[in-house]
Every structure is written in structure tokens, then in C-alpha cells.
Amino acid sequence: MTEQTLAERAVWRDTERCYRAVAARDSRFDGQFIMAVRTTGIYCRPSCPASTPKQQNVRFYPTSAAAQSNGFRACRRCLPDAVPGSPDWDIRADLAARAMRLISDGTVERDGVPGLARRLGYSERQLGRVLTAELGAGPLALARAHRAHSARLLIEMSGLPLTDVAFAAGFSSVRQFNETIREVFATTPSQLRAASLRRGRRKADETPTGTRLSLRLPFRKPFDAAGVLEFLAVRAVPGVEHVTRDDSGVTAYARTLRLAHGVGVVRLTTKDDHVLCDLRLADLRDLSSAVARVRRLLDLDADPEAVTRVLGADPALAPLVEAIPGIRVPGAVDGDELVLRALLSPAEAASLADTLGERVPSCDESLEGVTTVFPTAAVVAEHGPERIAAVAAALADGVSVHVGRDPAELRAELLALPGIGPRTADYVLMRVLGAPDVLLTGDPALRRGAAALGIADDEKTLAERGRAWQPWSSYAGMYLWRA
């Protein structure tokens, strides 16, 4: 995207627009900017139900970390950290967006700022300068805000001792944990837990095989839940994934997760205003990473109204856009797994998982059906089919496929691998990086859909027509698949 386009998308810089959204309590802007009130020292989401402050008393920030760095604390009424994430992190491919995706995945907690900088290919000084300029806070402050959110989830949703919560959320000491909670939420951890108990919040269950939590993941409406679950269901690998159906279609989707500190299992059920996320984790330090991956898998941070404005203007697509509002581009929870599965047929992927996958401890009844973690690239390189061994070896030896990669660099590395062509490389970018502007013109099913709508029946014509869909070509492709 051009610098001008990025500037236009920096909603928080347009104070008049932001204040109108706050005055209207417009929930569509939740997660896109933060409102801070100078007279109270509190920051809120745009849709906060409290009385609208005077315009001269408010300031706007791109992130909660920026508000915290300027001395504001979180509103306990609207919980500004419990909203969909900024759609900018999915749309943008610049350094700040890639850094935010890695911070959400817990990279700073695991590897520190030096590890974050290495993954992004920048020096710590360069990274800090760019993030402060773009997001109003450096990597440590952004990670601190992320830890505070994870800690609040554990305080309210688990029965863990608060000392264990501190370290599970990524804090280096109990003192740091207590100070952060007081600064961010203007209360102590014990008071925060007591308040959650008064509200009847459900605690996590401790089981012999890990900790169970039930979370509500917000999204921006409309949300084509049936479509995204069906997309995952038809590609599901038995054992690694499990789908529950009834007469109306897919009702729940479950799968295993390979996380930094152990194996997790997630079960997703869509509701009217949230996705119910049942998690079982071997180690609670993986909570924030698991939630971030699930959000990317379902594309929960998308801005459906922005997509509709562009795609709904195309006469051929308009009927589909109206019939299927809120379409999403499904993501991925593991880059290596997606690359390998893209090179295999469904039967081959199922066989590979069954023979080489790691078995997980037996699940309780509500998570029944998921028994296996998809094998690592190293295992596939040594024991898998010969035709994908070279790709698996490259993945194991240094071709990193993760959310912090630069799209152009990753695409070039993938195309250098045997058996990977442009269509497969672009498919990986679309799903692993959440790239919104990838049109898979080489996909036969997508071209059939385009022909059915009278748009085009060849790659060149489709590519030319697709220029009108930028920057939402990936979403247009999902409509063409559905056609």
C-alpha cells in the first residue's frame, strides 16, 4: 500500500472523525483507536456508554499502549482491551503492522525485544524508532499492554493463584505484575478478581491434562460465520481437526495447536455477537498466543464495512456481497503446516498426520475428536513423502513462515522451493499473513466462479478486473469461490 493510503487509514489522526464516532458510540470503530480523557485520566473504546466528554478534553491514540505511556489508565466500564483488534494489522504489511502481529503472538515474552527485532530483520534501535513514531509506544510498552490484557483474562477467567497468573502472563516478577495492573486498570489484581467473581465470571477448570478456559472473542459485524467454518471443515484433517454438523451446517470446529510451551486444543462455536472459544492449554503462558492465532484463523479483526464499500460497487459482485455480508478470509494457526498441506491432497495430509503426528493426551468429552498434532517440518523432512521432503527440510532449516514476515520476501523464498508455484505461494501469503489483496487468478475453482458471474474466464482478464477490487482482492476471491 502507498504511504498516502496508509495515512488515510490512520483513523486516530483524524480527530473530527474520531470524535463523531465517540459521540455516536459507534462500535464499528472499537479497536481502531483509543479515546483518552484528560480530565479523568482514563482511556476508553469509542463505544463506551459513559457520558461523552467535551471535545477539547479528549485525545486519540492508535493503541492502548500509547495511552498508557501517556499516563492514562483503562476504563473499567467499557474494558477497551476487550475489543476486536485493529484491522490495520491485517491490511498493512509495513514494519509496525508486522511487529504488532508478532507481539500479539507473544514473541516479546518468549524472546525479548532482541528476538522480535531479529525476526523482523531490523536493529532494536530502528524498531523502537519506527514503532514509537507509528504507534505512539515502543516494543516494550506495546508488549506490556499485551501482558496486561492477558493477565486480566487469567485473573477473571481462571482460579490460578495470582502469583502464577503473573508469570503465566509473561511478567518477570510479581512486583512488576502488581504495578502494571494498578497502572493500567487502577485497581489491584485481587480487587479485579473479586469484582469478576461478583459479576459471576466463570473460572477455568483445572484438569490432569492442562487448564480449560472459556473465552468470548468479539468481532465486527456482520460476520459470515457459516462460510468461514465451512471453508475450514471441507479442508479438515481428521484427528488434527474435528467438525460438528447438524442440519443447518457446521456448528463447531475444533483443532490442536502447536504452541511454544506445549500442545493446546481449541473448540470454536459461533454466537450472535461473539465466538465462544473453549481452550485447553498445557501451559497458561501460551494463552495470548493461542487467542491471537484463533483470531487470525477466523479473520475476526477484519473491517467488513470497508470490504463491502469496495466490492459492493462492482455490479457483478454486488448481489453476492448483499447475499453474504461479512465474508472472511480464513487464516492459519501454523505456517509450516499450511505450506505442507498446500502441497498434499486431503487424503495425503490425513495419512501424514496419522502416521507422523504427535498424539495428545485424551481430551474431555466437549473436545472429543481431536487427537493429533500435525507433524513438524523436521519430522516430515526425515520421514515424509519424498516429493515434499525438500520443502520440509527448507522449512526446518530456516525458511520462516510466520506472521511477521515481509510478504514480498516470503513469496520469493517460497517460489525458490521445489514444487511451489505462484498460486501456492500466494495462497500461503493470503492465509498465513492475512494478506487482504491476493487474487488467486490461477485457481481453477475461482476462475469458474468468475465465469459463472460473467466476470472473466481467463487469468489475464480476471487480473485486470481485479484491480478494481484492491485492496480487498482476497475477499473478492472468497466470493468467487462461493459462486
Side-chain angles (χ1 to χ4, degrees), residues 179-250:
E179 289 177 350
T180 298
I181 297 300
R182 276 197 297 269
E183 290 175 11
V184 174
F185 301 110
T187 187
T188 65
S190 58
Q191 290 170 337
L192 196 58
R193 172 162 284 175
S196 72
L197 291 175
R198 286 195 298 272
R199 293 195 300 268
R201 299 298 296 270
R202 178 182 173 185
K203 287 187 177 181
D205 300 318
E206 300 288 341
T207 71
T209 54
T211 301
R212 273 282 314 277
L213 298 106
S214 184
L215 308 175
R216 296 159 64 102
L217 306 183
F219 52 76
R220 292 181 180 86
K221 293 183 177 181
F223 175 46
D224 177 32
V228 71
L229 290 183
E230 184 64 30
F231 182 97
L232 297 172
V234 298
R235 293 161 177 80
V237 173
V240 175
E241 299 160 287
H242 181 73
V243 176
T244 305
R245 290 182 181 272
D246 63 14
D247 293 340
S248 62
V250 180

Side-chain angles (χ1 to χ4, degrees), residues 76-208:
R76 281 185 279 169
R77 184 173 182 180
C78 71
L79 297 175
D81 56 339
V83 296
S86 170
D88 274 4
W89 313 146
D90 294 328
I91 298 163
R92 293 166 52 172
D94 61 354
L95 175 60
R98 292 187 286 124
M100 281 300 296
R101 291 197 290 264
L102 286 175
I103 289 170
S104 296
D105 198 50
T107 297
V108 174
E109 281 72 26
R110 295 191 297 270
D111 305 324
V113 175
L116 176 67
R118 280 195 305 274
R119 281 199 154 204
L120 293 167
Y122 283 75
S123 70
E124 293 179 54
R125 184 178 179 181
Q126 285 176 303
L127 177 62
R129 185 168 62 245
V130 170
L131 293 184
T132 301
E134 287 282 326
L135 306 178
L140 281 176
L142 292 164
R144 177 176 178 265
H146 185 252
R147 283 195 296 270
H149 174 55
S150 298
R152 186 180 67 79
L153 283 177
L154 290 172
I155 290 169
E156 295 188 342
M157 302 303 298
S158 80
L160 281 179
L162 294 176
T163 300
D164 293 342
V165 168
F167 295 107
F171 291 96
S172 59
S173 68
V174 174
R175 178 180 177 182
Q176 183 191 57
F177 164 66
N178 289 331
E179 289 177 350
T180 298
I181 297 300
R182 276 197 297 269
E183 290 175 11
V184 174
F185 301 110
T187 187
T188 65
S190 58
Q191 290 170 337
L192 196 58
R193 172 162 284 175
S196 72
L197 291 175
R198 286 195 298 272
R199 293 195 300 268
R201 299 298 296 270
R202 178 182 173 185
K203 287 187 177 181
D205 300 318
E206 300 288 341
T207 71

Side-chain angles (χ1 to χ4, degrees), residues 394-446:
L395 295 173
D397 293 339
V399 176
S400 299
V401 184
H402 59 71
V403 293
R405 292 299 309 272
D406 175 86
E409 292 178 0
L410 177 57
R411 189 175 192 273
E413 290 183 17
L414 291 172
L415 288 175
L417 300 179
I420 293 185
R423 185 176 72 181
T424 302
D426 288 341
Y427 177 75
V428 171
L429 297 185
M430 184 180 75
R431 293 198 58 191
V432 174
L433 303 187
D437 201 23
V438 175
L439 187 61
L440 302 177
T441 56
D443 185 273
L446 191 145

Side-chain angles (χ1 to χ4, degrees), residues 353-412:
D354 184 56
T355 55
L356 301 180
E358 174 188 346
R359 297 296 184 266
V360 298
S362 59
C363 301
D364 57 42
E365 184 178 352
S366 65
L367 297 178
E368 186 178 4
V370 282
T371 59
T372 309
V373 186
F374 198 83
T376 64
V379 170
V380 175
E382 186 174 355
H383 304 290
E386 185 176 347
R387 69 183 183 86
I388 64 168
V391 173
L395 295 173
D397 293 339
V399 176
S400 299
V401 184
H402 59 71
V403 293
R405 292 299 309 272
D406 175 86
E409 292 178 0
L410 177 57
R411 189 175 192 273

Side-chain angles (χ1 to χ4, degrees), residues 244 251-255 265-269 276-279 366-367:
T244 305
T251 59
Y253 167 83
R255 68 154 294 144
V265 176
V266 63
R267 184 176 189 269
L268 304 170
T269 311
L276 182 62
C277 174
D278 290 309
L279 272 172
S366 65
L367 297 178

Side-chain angles (χ1 to χ4, degrees), residues 50-101:
S51 299
T52 304
K54 294 180 179 179
Q55 187 168 2
Q56 63 265 31
N57 292 332
V58 301
R59 297 180 65 182
F60 300 106
Y61 294 99
T63 61
S64 57
Q68 292 167 23
S69 296
N70 282 273
F72 295 94
R73 64 182 186 273
C75 174
R76 281 185 279 169
R77 184 173 182 180
C78 71
L79 297 175
D81 56 339
V83 296
S86 170
D88 274 4
W89 313 146
D90 294 328
I91 298 163
R92 293 166 52 172
D94 61 354
L95 175 60
R98 292 187 286 124
M100 281 300 296
R101 291 197 290 264

